[in-house]
Amino acid sequence: MSDQPPEVGKHPRGTMALVGLYGVLFVIGWFAIFLLIYLPRGAVTR
Amino acid sequence: MIHNRRLATANIGVAIAAFGIATFMALMQSLSRASLDLPWRSAKMYYLSVTGHGVLMALVFTTFFIMALGVAFTTSALNRPLKWPRAGWVAFWIAVVGTVMTTWAILWGKATVLYTFYPPLQAHWAFYVGVTLLVVGSWVWGAVVIATYLGWKKDNPGKPMPLAVYGILTTIIVWYLATVAVASEMLFLLIPWSLGLKETVDPLLARMLFWFFGHPLVYFWLLPAYVVWYTVLPREAGGKLFSDPLARMVFALFIILSTPVGFHHQFMDPGIAAGWKMAHTIATFAILFPSFVTAFTVTASLEVAGRMRGATGWFDWIWKLPWNNPLVASVLLSMIMFAVGGFGGAINAAFGMNAVVHNTAWIQGHFHLTVGTAVALTFMGTAYWLVPKLVGRDLELSLLAKWQPYLWFVGMLLFSISNHITGLMGMPRRVFEAGYGGSEIAAQWSGLTLVSALGGILLFVSASFFLLSMLGTVLAGRKAEQPPLEFAEPLEGQPTKLLVFDRVWAWVVVAVILVAIAYAYPLADHLAMETFGSPGFKPF
Ligand code: HEM
Ligand SMILES: [Cu+2]
């Protein structure tokens, strides 16, 4: 498509960076709550 | 072009009215929870209000809005009117009658059972019959949309349906699967019991049926919002849809994964074996995947939009987006909020960790990000764009419409984050007196409940902006030709070939099998057990 700027057809690098960053924060956040709140309070063992 | 405009307008009108009433209740609740002494404050009023707010927001506002979207999107994407317009009106009126019955029962203090209506809390039969009628109305609506699609398919053999229709159709399928359970709960348990035909009810069976329905319910809300994200947002932002097949894959995955997950709401319930709870946990983590793909595809579409507006760097496309367009701003802010909500959801859904947050204010903080913002704010943004097209008038008070999403965002940040934190501190949800009569532990969270109340005030102002703009548009907007309802073009062009995702009925079969695996044994197990029914309780 000729009317599109050349940047459009490339890989969505900004998106990949953002989604990757979100994934990292997601995992860090999850483990933060797991390790810093859940385990110290005493996990359910059965 | 949009056909059956009056029907769509009627549905959206009821949706917005329900939202308006529920907003007043919300303000009162958030002030009450901060122990601010309002003249009419009482436990009875509080729970009446929370019931009304939950039902009107989560069941009435959403259902009517989705019915409006279904009509507007199907008829304009297929470019043909509804096959059975009369039945469309019948659906609307059945749902209205149901809503009036339910609302009457709540406001007259006869149905203070909260929007989950767990027995043994017992409501007046009009509450249950009303909710059932709302659902029956939505069934008829679904049938009308499906019939319209089938008529189109007959005239266009071998052609893939437009993505917007695909999304609406998956919404209806998820809804049909879900509502089988709540209909059984109503017909076999709650309605006979509330009429006095049965003395007792089995609370655990009712909860199983409720959550069989309750989780796909959230996808019933969310999928239409995703339809807007995929098919409307890219175009409004000045770009194209990054990938049409990826979007279809997402909707197909929701057909099969929406339902076999309900036990993640019942981790703390007795009577369900841990292994089954674990199976539902695994399916729940699987269902995160299509939402991640959505985050990717929609963001990539926005990147395309920014690049078409001339961006060249890694992130400068973000600033090139039209952040002052009410629809675009609403959806972008919804997506940010939903990203946070998704993270919280992964905590809720973890079998063990759920114990930390279960029934605390964290949950309330969580679902106000998901349904309360990702869905509701997207719908408000959609209304700014759709209502002018439906009534043929310019958007009125557009300055308010521009600011409204940002105000909602800030209000919700304050409201939701404070509730997440107080939840972790141990503050329960659904408590009238969060100060616990001056308890020391409760004193620790009193500052944060004030933050939450401040958030509630901002949310109320934001909602008022929305309502004023809508009212202004319908009553006083300048009559003018509006741009047609058009959907985003995929980057690679419209699909011409049918994909595996287009075999909708095959996905339905898979879904039914998965549901049977997830529920047949636990339900049979439960029914074989000796259970003791409970009589009804009416605390107020
Ligand atoms: C106007 C902004 C809003 C405010 C200030 C607000 C505030 C509140 C408060 C304070 C509660 C009571 C919490 C409790 O006692 O546990 C509540 C419950 C609830 N809200 Fe909202 N809310 C708002 C908007 C929404 C929206 C847009 C939705 C969904 C579309 C929604 C859905 C619900 C639901 C489902 C409940 C649960 C009721 C229950 O526990 O039975 N809210 N809200
Ligand atoms: Cu759920």
Side-chain angles (χ1 to χ4, degrees):
Chain A
M1 282 166 221
S2 51
D3 57 336
Q4 283 174 1
E7 283 284 330
V8 171
K10 292 191 188 160
H11 277 303
R13 55 195 157 113
T15 299
M16 303 224 253
L18 282 183
V19 172
L21 179 70
Y22 175 60
V24 170
L25 288 176
F26 191 102
V27 172
I28 293 179
W30 197 93
F31 276 100
I33 299 219
F34 184 72
L35 297 172
L36 303 178
I37 296 181
Y38 174 64
L39 288 184
R41 286 187 188 181
V44 184
T45 47
R46 45 163 279 130
Chain B
M1 135 182 199
I2 316 176
H3 298 268
N4 309 90
R5 275 171 207 240
R6 290 180 52 149
L7 179 58
T9 311
N11 275 297
I12 221 171
V14 176
I16 294 175
F19 176 87
I21 301 171
T23 302
F24 279 95
M25 298 173 152
L27 177 67
M28 186 187 104
Q29 288 156 210
S30 48
L31 297 181
S32 177
R33 263 172 87 85
S35 308
L36 296 175
D37 249 321
L38 312 171
W40 59 87
R41 182 168 177 257
S42 70
K44 181 179 160 78
M45 266 311 271
Y46 184 78
Y47 289 109
L48 187 152
S49 169
V50 176
T51 307
H53 171 76
V55 168
L56 287 175
M57 284 292 194
L59 302 178
V60 178
F61 162 60
T62 49
T63 304
F64 278 94
F65 200 97
I66 292 165
M67 294 202 287
L69 276 190
V71 171
F73 280 23
T74 314
T75 58
S76 44
L78 300 179
N79 202 12
R80 58 199 288 147
L82 292 180
K83 178 101 178 260
W84 303 328
R86 285 247 185 83
W89 280 105
V90 170
F92 170 76
W93 283 111
I94 295 177
V96 167
V97 170
T99 301
V100 170
M101 284 173 81
T102 301
T103 313
W104 170 82
I106 297 171
L107 294 182
W108 260 251
K110 294 176 187 304
T112 305
V113 293
L114 303 173
Y115 95 107
T116 40
F117 46 85
Y118 291 149
L121 285 180
Q122 193 180 47
H124 190 281
W125 58 266
F127 175 88
Y128 304 116
V129 173
V131 173
T132 308
L133 287 178
L134 175 62
V135 170
V136 170
S138 70
W139 283 348
V140 177
W141 159 81
V144 171
V145 172
I146 292 179
T148 309
Y149 156 70
L150 290 177
W152 173 88
K153 193 178 163 197
K154 214 169 125 206
D155 298 343
N156 296 273
K159 206 170 149 193
M161 68 183 110
L163 181 60
V165 178
Y166 189 82
I168 297 289
L169 214 58
T170 46
T171 306
I172 295 171
I173 292 168
V174 166
W175 185 236
Y176 280 172
L177 271 175
T179 45
V180 172
V182 75
S184 331
E185 182 189 1
M186 291 295 189
L187 291 182
F188 298 118
L189 302 179
L190 300 181
I191 293 177
W193 174 62
S194 66
L195 285 170
L197 303 175
K198 277 191 190 168
E199 292 277 297
T200 61
V201 71
D202 178 347
L204 186 59
L205 180 60
R207 290 167 70 90
M208 277 205 205
L209 292 172
F210 183 83
W211 286 114
F212 180 120
F213 155 76
H215 191 84
L217 169 67
V218 315
Y219 290 108
F220 172 66
W221 302 329
L222 194 60
L223 293 185
Y226 280 5
V227 172
V228 172
W229 296 9
Y230 279 117
T231 68
V232 178
L233 173 73
R235 185 185 184 96
E236 283 295 296
K240 298 194 169 188
L241 172 62
F242 182 73
S243 165
D244 178 284
L246 267 184
R248 281 176 209 253
M249 177 192 80
V250 163
F251 287 118
L253 285 176
F254 279 119
I255 296 180
I256 61 172
L257 289 173
S258 288
T259 314
V261 295
F263 290 164
H264 69 215
H265 294 268
Q266 297 184 273
F267 287 142
M268 298 297 134
D269 281 19
I272 302 170
W276 287 106
K277 290 180 180 171
M278 194 62 209
H280 284 225
T281 305
I282 293 167
T284 304
F285 278 89
I287 209 173
L288 286 178
F289 174 69
S291 283
F292 274 125
V293 177
T294 299
F296 172 78
T297 312
V298 177
T299 312
S301 307
L302 292 168
E303 185 169 347
V304 168
R307 300 217 181 281
M308 289 177 80
R309 291 164 174 267
T312 51
W314 276 77
F315 298 116
D316 57 342
W317 49 272
I318 299 173
W319 314 119
K320 300 258 181 201
L321 297 173
W323 287 86
N324 60 357
N325 169 324
L327 179 130
V328 174
S330 299
V331 176
L332 289 174
L333 298 173
S334 291
M335 289 175 64
I336 297 174
M337 287 279 179
F338 196 57
V340 182
F343 155 75
I347 309 276
N348 307 341
F351 196 164
M353 263 200 280
N354 179 269
V356 175
V357 295
H358 190 76
N359 260 343
T360 69
W362 164 290
I363 301 298
Q364 173 199 336
H366 166 72
F367 66 67
H368 281 89
L369 291 180
T370 50
V371 63
T373 299
V375 173
L377 186 56
T378 294
F379 285 0
M380 287 185 256
T382 307
Y384 292 130
W385 164 89
L386 182 60
V387 169
K389 298 188 199 306
L390 289 177
V391 297
R393 290 169 184 267
D394 286 345
L395 185 67
E396 195 55 40
L397 300 174
S398 57
L399 193 66
L400 297 188
K402 279 196 181 109
W403 283 99
Q404 183 272 333
Y406 293 94
L407 204 53
W408 189 276
F409 185 79
V410 175
M412 195 51 90
L413 270 186
L414 297 176
F415 180 83
S416 170
I417 292 185
S418 58
N419 276 298
H420 276 92
I421 300 173
T422 52
L424 287 177
M425 294 164 87
M427 177 172 146
R429 73 185 271 216
R430 292 176 162 174
V431 285
F432 157 63
E433 178 40 50
Y436 282 92
S439 119
E440 258 178 54
I441 298 182
Q444 295 173 359
W445 60 59
S446 66
L448 283 163
T449 57
L450 281 174
V451 175
S452 155
L454 177 63
I457 294 172
L458 294 183
L459 285 166
F460 178 76
V461 176
S462 168
S464 311
F465 282 10
F466 168 69
L467 293 167
L468 285 175
S469 171
M470 284 294 112
L471 217 59
T473 304
V474 175
L475 298 179
R478 196 172 57 91
K479 284 201 171 150
E481 185 72 22
Q482 300 295 321
L485 199 170
E486 283 174 329
F487 297 100
E489 193 67 26
L491 202 53
E492 71 272 41
Q494 288 296 350
T496 49
K497 273 193 296 225
L498 290 172
L499 300 174
V500 58
F501 309 122
D502 291 298
R503 297 182 185 283
V504 175
W505 305 117
W507 292 88
V508 174
V509 171
V510 178
V512 171
I513 295 172
L514 285 181
V515 170
I517 295 175
Y519 272 105
Y521 187 87
L523 272 175
D525 211 22
H526 181 83
L527 292 174
M529 240 186 317
E530 190 185 359
T531 53
F532 303 93
S534 169
F537 289 91
K538 292 179 180 164
F540 299 108

